[in-house]
Amino acid sequence: MPTSSFTHDQLLDRLAEVSVRTGLNITPGQQLIITAGLEAVPLIRRITAHAYKAGASLVTTLYQDDETTLARFQHGHEDSFDTAAGWLANGMAEAFGKGAARMAITGGNPTLLKDQNPDHISRVSRASSTAYRPAMERITNFDINWNIIACATPAWAEQVFPHLPAEEALTALWNGIFQASRVDVTDPVAAWADHNRTLHARAAMLNDRRFDALHFTGPGTDLTVGLADGHLWAGGAEEAKNGIVCNPNIPTEEVFTTPHCARVEGTVSSTKPLFHQGSLIDGIRVRFEKGRIVEAHASKGEDVLKRILDSDEGARRIGEVALVPHSSPISRSGILYQNTLFDENAACHIALGQAYTKCMTNPEGQSEEELIARGANHSIIHIDWMIGSDRINIDGLKDGQRTPLMRSGEWA
C-alpha cells in the first residue's frame, strides 16, 4: 500500500531533495562525496541533480557491493584481512579538510556476513577503522556538514519482512523509510523544521538542568552513566564548524550527549538486536566498573561482541548516550529495521567507542589527553546499541537530587 498520494518516484525525489537541502544544506561551490551500494543508483542520480541545483561544484560517488564484500571473506587469503585502502581513506580525509561535504547511503544486507569467520570480520573492521580514522575524525568532530540516509534494497527488505513476497517486502521497506524520513507529507522541509524545533527544545531543557549523571533502571538494567565535564546535549539540525547547519541523520528522534568514559557503573541489557557488519548480536548484557565493561555476554553473537570490545582500549567504554521516547514514530511502526540508523531512533541507546567532542563546551585547542580527562572517550569504533523500552525509567542526578526524566519510556 502507498504511504501517501505521492508516487514512488515522487517520494524518491523528495527524499533526495530533503537529504541535500535539510540533511546536508550544501552550499554553492562545495564538493560532495557519497558512498552507497549499487542498488542506490536511482536515488543517487536524484541526489546528484539536487546537489548541482544547490550549487555543488562536484559530486563524487564511491560505490560498494555486497557480493564483492562477501567474496573477500569467502576467498581472501589469510593475510589479506588486515589490509585496508588507506590511500582512499587519506583522499577522503584530504577532501573533507578542504571543505567537501559527506553523504553515506545505508541499505546493505544486515546479515551478509553471518556465516563468515568472526576473526576475519574483526580484523577487517579494525584495519578499516584505523585507516579511516583521520576522515572519521572530521565527522565526529563535526568539522564538516554530513548526512546519512537509507535506500531500500531487496536483500535488506527480505530480512525485515521475511513473510512477504519479495516485491511487497521492498515496497513495505520503502514506505517505512519514506514515513520515518518525513518525506510523505505536503512540505517535507517544513516538517523537518518543526521536528528540529522539538528536538532543540528537549536538548535545551537538558542543558539547563546540567545533570551530573543519568540513572537507567528496568529489566536487567541498573546503570548510572556519568556525564562528561562540560557536556552539551544536541539533537536534530546543528551547525558544523564550517558554519553550515545540517541534519546528520535522516531519520532522527534522539537527543544525545557525551558521557564520562570513567564514570559509568552498573549493569545494562540490550532491548533490541544489534546488527554489526553483517553479524547479529542479540541479548547483550554487560557490567561496567569505573567506566569500563568488565563482563559481557550475548545470547547470540557473543564472540563477535567480545571481538568488538577488544578493538582497542576505548572500545570497552562508551562515547555517547542518547534519549529517545518509546513513542517515537519508528518505535510505533513496530518494524525492526536491523539497521542502526533506524533502530537507534526507536529506543534510548548508548554507543561503544569514540565520543562526539561537539557535545562538549570549548573543545577547540584541547589535546586528546585533555579531552579524555574531561570524559571524552577515544576509540577507532563507534557502535550504537539500544537499551530503551516502555519498561525503562531514567532519572537525572545532580548534587544528590534525583529528577524523573523518563517513565516507562516516555518523557516525564
Side-chain angles (χ1 to χ4, degrees):
M1 296 294 291
T3 60
S4 68
S5 59
F6 301 104
T7 67
H8 175 82
D9 284 347
Q10 288 173 324
L11 290 166
L12 200 65
D13 192 72
R14 283 162 157 259
L15 179 60
E17 183 179 12
V18 163
S19 72
V20 171
R21 291 183 57 190
T22 299
L24 289 175
N25 191 20
I26 202 161
T27 60
Q30 191 174 30
Q31 290 194 38
L32 170 60
I33 297 175
I34 304 172
T35 56
L38 296 176
E39 296 94 337
V41 168
L43 176 58
I44 290 168
R45 288 171 177 163
R46 289 168 169 83
I47 290 170
T48 301
H50 282 291
Y52 282 127
K53 290 176 184 177
S57 60
L58 180 66
V59 179
T60 302
T61 301
L62 304 173
Y63 288 97
Q64 305 154 338
D65 174 54
D66 278 354
E67 290 304 312
T68 52
T69 297
L70 184 59
R72 180 183 189 185
F73 291 94
Q74 292 175 328
H75 307 297
H77 293 183
E78 183 62 32
D79 59 356
S80 72
F81 298 108
D82 300 307
T83 303
W87 56 271
L88 178 59
N90 291 338
M92 293 177 72
E94 180 181 352
F96 298 154
K98 293 180 178 179
R102 167 80 164 106
M103 180 181 289
I105 301 177
T106 183
N109 183 347
T111 57
L112 178 71
L113 304 180
K114 63 181 178 65
D115 297 322
Q116 303 309 306
N117 186 326
D119 178 61
H120 293 168
I121 297 171
S122 176
R123 288 163 57 191
V124 167
S125 176
R126 185 181 297 112
S128 178
S129 296
T130 301
Y132 277 85
R133 183 169 185 82
M136 284 302 299
E137 284 181 340
R138 298 284 187 180
I139 294 172
T140 58
N141 293 338
F142 217 43
D143 293 340
I144 60 170
N145 48 321
W146 59 276
N147 174 244
I148 302 176
I149 61 169
C151 174
T153 62
W156 182 17
E158 181 182 358
Q159 296 291 319
V160 177
F161 300 103
H163 303 299
L164 292 179
E167 187 173 340
E168 291 182 25
L170 187 60
T171 298
L173 181 55
W174 269 123
N175 287 346
I177 291 171
F178 293 144
Q179 289 175 343
S181 302
R182 290 180 162 79
V183 299
D184 62 339
V185 297
T186 302
D187 189 340
V189 173
W192 271 100
D194 289 343
H195 184 49
N196 280 324
R197 280 190 284 272
T198 298
L199 295 176
H200 291 164
R202 288 174 179 162
M205 177 272 291
L206 291 164
N207 284 326
D208 287 344
R209 297 292 183 89
R210 306 303 310 163
F211 292 116
D212 300 320
L214 305 179
H215 185 210
F216 294 75
T217 55
T221 293
D222 186 353
L223 182 72
T224 300
V225 177
L227 302 180
D229 299 338
H231 67 277
L232 290 173
W233 288 89
E238 299 288 341
E239 182 176 337
K241 291 178 183 177
N242 61 5
I244 300 173
V245 176
C246 66
N247 261 96
N249 289 357
I250 290 179
T252 184
E253 303 291 337
E254 65 177 338
V255 290
F256 59 97
T257 194
T258 300
H260 198 295
C261 61
R263 300 176 187 164
V264 183
E265 300 283 344
T267 57
V268 62
S269 298
S270 64
T271 53
K272 292 180 181 292
L274 168 63
F275 293 85
H276 177 67
Q277 295 190 333
S279 297
L280 166 66
I281 310 172
D282 199 8
I284 299 172
R285 307 178 311 283
V286 304
R287 181 167 62 86
F288 287 87
E289 287 184 1
K290 297 180 179 179
R292 188 173 186 272
I293 293 176
V294 295
E295 186 177 348
H297 303 282
S299 58
K300 293 181 181 178
E302 183 171 309
D303 54 342
V304 179
L305 173 64
K306 290 187 174 179
R307 290 178 189 277
I308 290 172
L309 296 177
D310 290 337
S311 296
D312 61 14
E313 171 58 29
R316 288 180 175 266
R317 301 177 187 272
I318 62 174
E320 178 189 353
V321 59
L323 304 183
V324 179
H326 181 68
S327 59
S328 80
I330 296 175
S331 177
R332 290 200 308 269
S333 75
I335 300 172
L336 178 62
Y337 283 91
Q338 304 181 27
N339 180 295
T340 300
L341 176 62
F342 288 81
D343 293 337
E344 73 170 359
N345 286 297
C348 296
H349 53 274
I350 54 178
L352 300 172
Q354 180 67 31
Y356 288 118
T357 56
K358 85 181 200 73
C359 289
M360 301 179 73
T361 57
N362 304 316
E364 297 81 4
Q366 292 200 305
S367 68
E368 183 177 296
E369 291 73 20
E370 289 172 323
L371 290 171
I372 291 174
R374 292 177 59 188
N377 194 33
H378 179 78
S379 176
I380 62 173
I381 69 168
H382 182 94
I383 301 173
D384 300 272
W385 53 287
M386 283 50 77
I387 64 171
S389 75
D390 58 357
R391 303 173 68 189
I392 295 293
N393 295 328
I394 305 172
D395 291 326
L397 308 181
K398 183 176 177 63
D399 299 330
Q401 301 297 312
R402 180 180 295 269
T403 301
L405 280 181
M406 283 188 159
R407 288 293 180 266
S408 300
E410 300 300 330
W411 291 101

